[in-house]
Amino acid sequence: MNEADIEADATDRALLQRMAAGDRVALATLYRGYHGRLTRFLARLTRRPDVIEEVINDCFWIAWQKAGTFQGDSRVSTWIMGIAYRCGLKALRQHGDEPIEDDSLYGDRAPSHDPSEDHELRDWLGKALDRLTIDQRVVLELVYGVGHSLNDVAVIMQCPVGTVKARLFHARVRLRNVLPELAGESSAHAGGAP
């Protein structure tokens, strides 16, 4: 953990202590601070904006109720992501994982110099990620998208670190194999266009 992560965690711990004492402003502050990250993370799990918002609200309802029981064994961000992950899995069981197209899911990403190129790249990567298992997508997002360590991901997903490493390995292998295949599809479609 770098100095910025340590400071952010200290701030989050203070907010949790205030939440445990019933401070709704602390809850609102934590909610605003995590909403974008959770939206991006949960988009890899369910890809349904309506379900994502429901999961985020459920996550913070649980965080509000359990703020006083936070043990401090992990970073607050790891604890919140773990709650979101479990709420997301529950939502998947209830609502399914019917993919939908919604550019607002990717609103927190920096646009490229060419918006059409950015959209095409997102579409291409989205198709590749769709070919992964949910667990593989989640591990990729937690490690590369959110920046959690493998140990943090193991805590979030409640599995051994070796399982996280295996999912990450298989996800990268799958992407390495599927991206060239999709590139072939893209160039085939582009070549046939007038």
Side-chain angles (χ1 to χ4, degrees):
M1 253 189 342
N2 62 34
E3 191 172 321
D5 290 340
I6 293 169
E7 288 179 25
D9 191 56
T11 301
D12 290 350
R13 286 173 189 266
L15 289 170
L16 272 184
Q17 288 175 344
R18 289 175 42 201
M19 282 171 51
D23 186 342
R24 293 178 187 268
V25 173
L27 172 64
T29 302
L30 204 62
Y31 183 93
R32 281 191 307 273
Y34 278 88
H35 189 273
R37 276 187 274 180
L38 291 176
T39 299
R40 180 180 166 145
F41 165 65
L42 292 167
R44 295 289 180 231
L45 190 64
T46 178
R47 298 170 304 199
R48 289 188 47 190
D50 58 324
V51 173
I52 290 170
E53 286 302 317
E54 178 184 323
V55 169
I56 291 171
N57 289 335
D58 290 348
C59 172
F60 278 98
W61 175 247
I62 291 169
W64 171 258
Q65 292 176 315
K66 304 219 180 233
T69 65
F70 176 70
Q71 301 282 323
D73 298 337
S74 65
R75 292 186 296 166
V76 174
S77 62
T78 302
W79 184 69
I80 289 174
M81 285 291 185
I83 294 170
Y85 175 68
R86 288 183 291 285
C87 289
L89 290 178
K90 180 180 176 187
L92 278 176
R93 288 190 296 271
Q94 292 173 343
H95 302 288
D97 185 30
E98 193 64 33
I100 61 170
E101 288 292 321
D102 188 351
D103 287 341
S104 70
L105 290 177
Y106 305 103
D108 63 342
R109 293 187 182 171
S112 71
H113 62 282
D114 181 1
S116 64
E117 182 180 297
D118 186 45
H119 181 71
E120 184 179 327
L121 178 61
R122 266 200 324 255
D123 186 47
W124 188 50
L125 287 173
K127 286 178 183 178
L129 290 170
D130 283 344
R131 295 192 183 189
L132 301 177
T133 67
I134 289 173
D135 287 335
Q136 290 171 343
R137 284 195 314 258
V138 167
V139 167
L140 280 174
E141 182 62 29
L142 286 171
V143 171
Y144 296 118
V146 182
H148 281 288
S149 70
L150 296 177
N151 289 333
D152 286 346
V153 175
V155 170
I156 291 166
M157 297 182 82
Q158 296 181 330
C159 65
V161 174
T163 302
V164 173
K165 289 179 181 179
R167 288 174 180 165
L168 190 58
F169 172 80
H170 290 291
R172 288 190 297 221
V173 167
R174 181 77 176 132
L175 286 176
R176 190 173 336 145
N177 292 332
V178 99
L179 284 171
E181 178 184 318
L182 288 173
E185 286 178 18
S186 297
S187 62
H189 291 299

